[in-house]
Amino acid sequence: MPGHHQSSFSYGRYAGGPDPLAPPVDLAEALDAIAEDVMSGYSPEQAMREFLRRGGRNRQGLDDLAGRVQQRRRDLLQQHRLGGTLDQIKELLDAAVLEERKQLVRDAMMDNTDRAFREMRMENLPSSTAAAVNELADYDWQSQEARQTYEQIKDLLGREMLDQRFAGMKQALENATDEDREAISQMLSDLNDLLEKHARGEDTPEDFEDFMAKHGDAFPENPQNVDELIDALAQRSAAAQRMLRSMSAEQRQELMSLSAQAFGSPELMAQLDRLDSALQGLRPGEDWTGSERFEGQEGLGLGDGTGVLQDLAELDSLAEQLSQSYAGSTLSDVDVESLARQLGDEAAVSARTLAELERAMKESGYLRRGADGDLRLSPRAMRRLGKSLLRDAAGRLSGRQGGRETRLAGAAGEATGSTRSWQFGDIEPWDVGRTMTNAIGRVAAEGGNPAGGIRLDVRDVEVRETEARTQAAVALLVDTSFSMAAEGRWVPMKRTALALHHLVSTRFRGDRLQLITFGRYAQQRDIGELTALAAMREQGTNLHHGLTLATRFFRQHPTMQPVLLVVTDGEPTAHLVGNGQAWFSWPPEPETVRATVAELDRVGRLGAEVTFFRLGDDPGLERFLQSMAHRVDGRVVSPDPADLGAAVVGEFLRHRYPGTGSTFGDIAWE
């Protein structure tokens, strides 16, 4: 078609970083898992590392990949044995000798003395394969087939020696001509000259380019400069040295003796020795002296064995990268191309996804570094977790027998009949009529046609004004004594605090919430401190001190309705004495009980609404809390640890919405 330009496209595997067609990483799952570990006592940095190690739903973690790397390493060692080249040479030698003997029997024209001498020579060959091959180096073969078979030994040796240093050379030189061998000899000479020139600092980029233009076909790695060329050659050469060191002393001696027969040219080994020496000087950091223990049955030739040693070195490097145990390690260090070679594309995708998760978590705003350089859960992460935990608490509440649906209108009081524009933080119900009228007027004012449909804007929304509810000052006291951690109640306690904190901060913005921990001593905590609080190993349940701080908090907010929520799993065993020190005693002393009861009475005189949450089945604690609740007309709730969050949120809402019983009023949870 005239003027038509046809574009051409080529397709291949994407190699530009994370797969653009891959599904986005699930940060919600990662954050939930990290937060759970943080609440169990891990630092956020440790928690993120643990998540990456474990992996997620349908995703392998670092430990899975590391385990597969180690299994791959074991398989290579248990499958193979060294000496495959020696086995092949022995087979060729035996075949050549057999054919020669047949020819000696068939040749009726041969002089009998000559025949006897040749037969005696065949019979008395050394038991050593290498010695026998060398013994026959000058033998005048009578069988053409035997001669060709013997020449294959020299050809095989030459190709294997080259394959040790240049992967794929064994196959490339099969059925090679004299011209091919001469080209290899010239390549080795030019390569050695280039490396020695580089070692002296006299080479130029043009030298490398000239060399690659002439001999580039021998280097499938396609190095882009002389250093990349040296790296590839040194890794292969060092693997060849490790393979030789992994052989038995007898095998090494056999190969050394045979090496002079490679291509029938001792000059080849001289060139290779020169190459090895140059590479070892240029890359002394490679492992030139290591060895491995092979225990399998499948024989490896020199070239293939060197490749396996390279694989083992690559697997060791991957194991270190996946361990992430060195300073400054990140998952971007993992060589995904090496991982794909060793374990397949699926493993590479898993590693790339984990690296993307690590990067996304650090860039998402969920984790941030404090002034001390340590990672911390950010306020955004705390809000996200609080929302998730509150939703979980709501689900548990709605599942209780007789519970009502949790997702209601969101009213905060009785309607007054007035409306106003919505403001951030408002939880009053929308006035749908006024909102739609505003939207229609706005669309018309902007030149649109409301009949064609309208799209609501936040500026359109009006809410119904309601009578103000009494604001509350809420003190949540949580037991942090040793038994809370020992009995598996530590994380449920933190999840409860997060859920209640999110509820108050998002749905009851006028309320005030104070979190107070009490172990040997009591302390006011912000939500971030409590979430990251490590399990306490000290003895003591100082409810007296906790109630003292709650009383002080209530008095700081005299116009608010005080609400006291206490989570504990033990009777009080400590109280403050005159010098501000904690007095501890087990079993509880009467003085501790009197001090605790006296402080509770002060809370009661402030008009606080009190609920105790009893964890565990201790009869003494049950009697004590029932007595305490009776003094202030409070309640005792005995939830399972898994239901603690729902129980505390439900009690808070019962206080905020009197008359709703154990259900939870007009709250929109989303």
Side-chain angles (χ1 to χ4, degrees):
M1 182 183 299
H4 176 69
H5 175 71
Q6 182 176 2
S7 299
S8 61
F9 302 92
S10 61
Y11 298 89
R13 176 180 296 179
Y14 179 75
D19 185 352
L21 300 181
V25 293
D26 185 359
L27 289 184
E29 179 194 8
L31 181 60
D32 288 344
I34 290 170
E36 195 74 12
D37 282 344
V38 167
M39 289 189 285
S40 298
Y42 287 84
S43 72
E45 187 116 33
Q46 291 172 322
M48 184 172 71
R49 294 292 181 196
E50 283 299 310
F51 175 75
L52 295 173
R53 303 210 72 79
R54 294 192 301 264
R57 292 187 298 269
N58 304 317
R59 182 185 301 113
Q60 296 179 90
L62 292 176
D63 284 346
D64 297 317
L65 294 174
R68 290 182 60 191
V69 164
Q70 292 302 324
Q71 185 60 52
R72 165 77 171 151
R73 195 183 202 287
R74 288 192 294 271
D75 290 345
L76 287 174
L77 293 174
Q78 293 171 3
Q79 177 182 355
H80 300 294
R81 65 177 177 82
L82 303 180
T85 297
L86 292 175
D87 294 340
Q88 288 182 274
I89 291 172
K90 187 177 188 309
E91 290 176 5
L92 290 171
L93 177 65
D94 290 345
V97 170
L98 179 61
E99 287 300 324
E100 181 68 6
R101 284 175 171 172
K102 290 179 180 178
Q103 179 63 31
L104 294 177
V105 171
R106 289 194 299 265
D107 192 348
M109 304 300 294
M110 182 178 293
D111 178 76
N112 287 334
T113 302
D114 186 25
R115 188 196 323 273
F117 176 75
R118 291 176 180 277
E119 288 177 343
M120 183 177 63
R121 193 167 180 182
M122 293 294 118
E123 287 289 341
N124 293 295
L125 286 173
S127 58
S128 163
T129 301
V133 170
N134 288 329
E135 173 76 18
L136 295 171
D138 60 353
Y139 179 74
D140 181 19
W141 297 88
Q142 297 302 296
S143 165
Q144 184 63 26
E145 184 175 351
R147 181 187 302 276
Q148 291 174 350
T149 302
Y150 181 80
E151 291 299 321
Q152 287 179 34
I153 293 176
K154 298 180 180 181
D155 181 71
L156 173 65
L157 275 169
R159 289 188 293 124
E160 289 279 16
M161 292 290 182
L162 286 169
D163 203 39
Q164 275 194 298
R165 277 76 172 182
F166 308 94
M169 195 67 77
K170 179 181 178 181
Q171 290 75 24
L173 288 179
E174 193 169 9
N175 302 318
T177 64
D178 289 339
E179 289 77 11
D180 294 330
R181 298 189 187 97
E182 179 58 33
I184 290 295
S185 179
Q186 186 60 53
M187 182 272 289
L188 286 173
S189 178
D190 292 346
L191 176 59
N192 282 321
D193 289 344
L194 175 64
L195 297 185
E196 290 170 3
K197 194 173 182 181
H198 181 74
R200 296 191 302 269
E202 299 173 357
D203 64 317
T204 65
E206 289 73 19
D207 292 329
F208 171 77
E209 292 170 5
D210 291 344
F211 175 82
M212 291 300 293
K214 188 175 180 181
H215 305 295
D217 290 345
F219 302 93
E221 303 90 350
N222 192 28
Q224 299 301 301
N225 53 57
V226 69
D227 285 313
E228 289 186 11
L229 173 66
I230 293 170
D231 287 340
L233 290 171
Q235 289 168 9
R236 184 82 178 176
S237 180
Q241 295 300 316
R242 293 195 301 276
M243 181 187 176
L244 291 175
R245 290 178 176 275
S246 301
M247 290 179 168
S248 67
E250 181 182 357
Q251 287 174 325
R252 284 196 299 272
Q253 182 60 44
E254 289 277 283
L255 283 173
M256 291 295 293
S257 298
L258 284 167
S259 61
Q261 298 297 330
F263 287 149
S265 170
E267 290 79 12
L268 173 65
M269 283 308 301
Q271 292 276 28
L272 292 177
D273 288 343
R274 181 183 168 196
L275 175 63
D276 289 339
S277 178
L279 291 172
Q280 192 161 355
L282 289 166
R283 293 294 184 269
E286 293 288 339
D287 182 5
W288 296 92
T289 59
S291 63
E292 298 288 350
R293 184 179 179 86
F294 289 84
E295 301 174 340
Q297 297 300 315
E298 184 178 325
L300 287 172
L302 296 182
D304 291 339
T306 298
V308 170
L309 265 295
Q310 275 192 293
D311 284 341
L312 292 172
E314 189 168 64
L315 289 166
D316 289 341
S317 180
L318 285 170
E320 182 180 14
Q321 294 163 15
L322 292 169
S323 74
Q324 294 286 285
S325 59
Y326 48 94
S329 60
T330 68
L331 287 185
S332 61
D333 299 340
V334 177
D335 187 339
V336 292
E337 292 184 1
S338 296
L339 201 62
R341 278 195 299 272
Q342 298 299 334
L343 303 183
D345 290 340
E346 180 186 354
V349 169
S350 293
R352 190 178 288 116
T353 303
L354 290 172
E356 176 66 12
L357 258 175
E358 180 186 52
R359 183 197 62 76
M361 281 299 298
K362 291 180 178 179
E363 295 180 0
S364 66
Y366 287 139
L367 299 175
R368 68 179 185 185
R369 294 204 176 272
D372 57 1
D374 291 336
L375 280 180
R376 289 185 171 84
L377 292 177
S378 68
R380 180 186 178 193
M382 302 298 290
R383 290 192 297 272
R384 162 69 179 75
L385 291 171
K387 180 178 179 180
S388 175
L389 294 172
L390 182 57
R391 187 183 297 114
D392 178 67
R396 290 177 179 274
L397 275 170
S398 63
R400 291 180 176 177
Q401 185 174 5
R404 296 198 316 228
E405 175 58 48
T406 61
R407 186 173 177 81
L408 301 179
E414 297 299 326
T416 65
S418 301
T419 64
R420 59 177 171 78
S421 297
W422 177 87
Q423 297 177 359
F424 179 77
D426 285 339
I427 60 172
E428 288 81 7
W430 286 15
D431 186 308
V432 177
R434 294 285 300 173
T435 298
M436 294 302 296
T437 299
N438 293 342
I440 292 170
R442 176 181 54 78
V443 170
E446 293 174 352
N449 181 8
I454 59 173
R455 183 183 295 274
L456 287 180
D457 187 278
V458 70
R459 295 169 295 174
D460 305 327
V461 179
E462 289 202 22
V463 296
R464 301 182 194 138
E465 288 192 333
T466 58
E467 296 176 354
R469 289 191 181 274
T470 302
Q471 292 178 316
V474 185
L476 175 62
L477 276 63
V478 290
D479 188 343
T480 55
S481 59
F482 175 70
S483 59
M484 288 287 287
E487 298 296 332
R489 298 159 186 158
W490 195 259
V491 173
M493 174 269 290
K494 291 184 177 183
R495 294 169 67 91
T496 297
L498 264 169
L500 183 60
H501 177 270
H502 186 74
L503 175 61
V504 173
S505 61
T506 59
R507 300 296 191 265
F508 296 90
R509 297 175 187 271
D511 289 358
R512 293 293 178 267
L513 173 64
Q514 180 63 66
L515 303 175
I516 299 172
T517 60
F518 61 98
R520 179 68 68 93
Y521 291 91
Q523 184 175 340
Q524 295 175 335
R525 307 271 188 180
D526 64 35
I527 190 61
E529 286 180 303
L530 180 58
T531 302
L533 186 65
M536 311 291 280
R537 298 295 175 182
E538 61 182 11
Q539 291 180 312
T541 305
N542 198 337
L543 180 57
H544 167 248
H545 193 188
L547 291 172
T548 300
L549 295 181
T551 302
R552 184 184 307 165
F553 169 67
F554 292 147
R555 286 174 174 164
Q556 290 170 348
H557 302 87
T559 63
M560 295 184 176
Q561 171 61 45
V563 176
L564 177 66
L565 307 172
V566 181
V567 177
T568 185
D569 71 346
E571 297 177 73
T573 57
H575 69 282
L576 293 183
V577 294
N579 60 2
Q581 297 298 307
W583 176 270
F584 168 76
S585 175
W586 172 258
E589 291 190 355
E591 185 178 351
T592 297
V593 174
R594 283 195 297 270
T596 304
V597 170
E599 197 60 47
L600 179 68
D601 288 342
R602 293 188 184 92
V603 171
R605 287 194 291 272
L606 293 174
E609 299 174 350
V610 180
T611 303
F612 293 96
F613 299 88
R614 175 174 60 83
L615 300 178
D617 300 319
D618 179 13
L621 175 63
E622 182 178 5
R623 289 191 298 270
F624 173 76
L625 291 183
Q626 288 291 354
S627 175
M628 292 278 280
H630 181 71
R631 294 182 69 89
V632 292
D633 195 24
R635 286 161 49 92
V636 178
V637 180
S638 303
D640 290 329
D643 288 326
L644 179 61
V648 171
V649 167
E651 280 299 299
F652 168 77
L653 291 172
R654 188 182 65 83
H655 292 303
R656 298 301 285 118
Y657 290 90
T660 61
S662 61
T663 55
F664 25 109
D666 303 329
I667 297 297
W669 297 93
E670 295 301 326

